[in-house]
């Protein structure tokens, strides 16, 4: 189940992050691990443990259904499945630091479930200069995703004027991008859409609070 980071697209990922700020990584994580993660999300949903996501941090935190509609649960590493995923992200953190000198200190991530009709309008995950969230990852957990189901991740140019990519949320795929530079949005989905959104940070974790988005 291990992710072989030396062989599996890591060179392309590092080049793309430097050159364009984002990368679409097919088969970043095995189907076995994705299926196990998906099963966790499905049981959290049944147990009512997924909560409406918000925007803004601390005092400014608010639920804004016009901006985002997903339900989330932060990973706490309490299951073996989560530990395996977090270990793989630790390896990725090491590679990013080694090649790009980003000084990433930790990783925080949440499961996200977008039900039919849900979306997340165009936003940035972090504001420049806050030395906060540096690199975003989004792992998709949806087997047999159909092209007409919507729910794509749209990646925009830094000035928001151009659509650079439209990424379908297929199982095992990971979108990776620079959190301060890449505006992005989730188009309305027509089917349940499950992912793990995560952030490498260069300061202490505030897991459970959500960074500004606009
Ligand atoms: C986010 C986000 C993108 C996606 O959670 O901040 O932009 O494709 N997610 O789920
Ligand atoms: Mn985002």
């Amino acid at each position: 189940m291990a992710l072989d980071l030396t062989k599996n697209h890591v060179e392309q990922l590092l080049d793309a992050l430097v050159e364009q700020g984002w990368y679409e990584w097919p088969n970043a994580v095995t189907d076995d691990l994705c299926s196990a993660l998906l099963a966790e999300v499905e049981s959290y949903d049944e147990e009512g443990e997924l909560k409406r996501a918000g925007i803004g941090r601390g005092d400014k935190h608010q639920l804004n259904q016009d901006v985002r509609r997903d339900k989330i649960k932060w990973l706490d590493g309490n299951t073996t499945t989560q530990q395996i995923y977090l270990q793989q992200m630790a390896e990725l953190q090491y590679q990013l630091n080694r090649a790009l000198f980003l000084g990433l200190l930790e990783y925080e991530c949440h499961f996200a479930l977008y039900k039919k009709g849900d979306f997340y309008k165009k936003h940035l995950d972090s504001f420049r200069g806050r030395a906060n969230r540096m690199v975003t990852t989004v792992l998709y957990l949806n087997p047999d995703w159909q092209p007409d189901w919507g729910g794509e991740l749209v990646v925009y140019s830094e000035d928001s004027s151009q659509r650079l990519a439209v990424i379908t949320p297929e199982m095992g795929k990971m979108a990776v991008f620079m959190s301060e530079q890449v505006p992005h949005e989730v188009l309305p989905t027509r089917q349940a859409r499950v992912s793990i959104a995560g952030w490498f940070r260069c300061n202490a974790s505030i897991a459970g609070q959500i960074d500004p988005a606009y």
Side-chain angles (χ1 to χ4, degrees):
M1 236 197 247
L3 175 68
D4 189 345
L5 287 167
T6 55
K7 294 206 192 89
N8 185 1
H9 287 245
V10 167
E11 291 304 321
Q12 288 105 301
L13 165 69
L14 297 170
D15 287 349
L17 284 180
V18 170
E19 281 159 26
Q20 61 185 19
W22 62 275
Y23 187 63
E24 179 178 353
W25 187 357
N27 304 119
V29 174
T30 63
D31 282 1
D32 281 355
L33 181 54
C34 288
S35 301
L37 291 163
L38 177 61
E40 286 199 5
V41 181
E42 285 167 348
S43 70
Y44 288 141
D45 188 34
E46 277 161 26
E47 291 155 16
E49 287 199 39
L50 300 174
K51 305 291 178 210
R52 282 267 162 237
I55 55 172
R57 168 181 299 185
D59 299 349
K60 303 234 168 61
H61 185 265
Q62 51 171 303
L63 293 172
N64 187 335
Q65 297 261 85
D66 298 334
V67 175
R68 71 185 294 189
R69 292 263 170 104
D70 54 327
K71 284 197 284 178
I72 67 169
K73 180 174 168 54
W74 292 89
L75 277 73
D76 53 20
N78 281 346
T79 66
T80 309
T81 302
Q82 290 186 25
Q83 283 160 19
I84 294 167
Y85 180 64
L86 293 170
Q87 182 53 42
Q88 297 190 0
M89 292 302 99
E91 242 174 279
L92 180 57
Q93 178 177 318
Y94 172 78
Q95 298 285 349
L96 290 167
N97 280 334
R98 204 177 60 128
L100 306 179
F101 309 104
L102 288 172
L104 305 173
L105 285 177
E106 53 180 67
Y107 182 72
E108 61 183 0
C109 59
H110 63 60
F111 294 115
L113 170 63
Y114 292 73
K115 291 213 163 145
K116 188 174 159 70
D118 289 348
F119 55 80
Y120 193 161
K121 294 253 175 84
K122 186 158 68 176
H123 63 280
L124 281 177
D125 286 343
S126 184
F127 292 114
R128 195 180 288 282
R130 296 266 176 98
N132 202 327
R133 288 174 166 177
M134 303 291 288
V135 179
T136 301
T137 62
V138 190
L139 173 67
Y140 300 107
L141 303 178
N142 310 293
D144 305 317
W145 190 263
Q146 300 299 306
D148 60 349
W149 286 356
E152 297 95 341
L153 173 70
V154 182
V155 171
Y156 291 90
S157 57
E158 200 167 349
D159 66 2
S160 269
S161 66
Q162 289 174 63
R163 277 186 173 204
L164 300 182
V166 178
I167 295 173
T168 50
E170 281 128 29
M171 177 176 272
K173 185 188 285 178
M174 184 179 280
V176 185
F177 52 88
M178 303 308 293
S179 309
E180 296 178 342
Q181 288 168 31
V182 177
H184 56 281
E185 83 175 307
V186 179
L187 298 178
T189 185
R190 294 188 194 95
Q191 294 283 329
R193 172 199 195 269
V194 180
S195 58
I196 301 178
W199 296 272
F200 292 107
R201 317 180 64 100
C202 61
N203 61 0
S205 172
I206 53 157
Q209 297 179 294
I210 293 138
D211 274 352
Y214 64 89

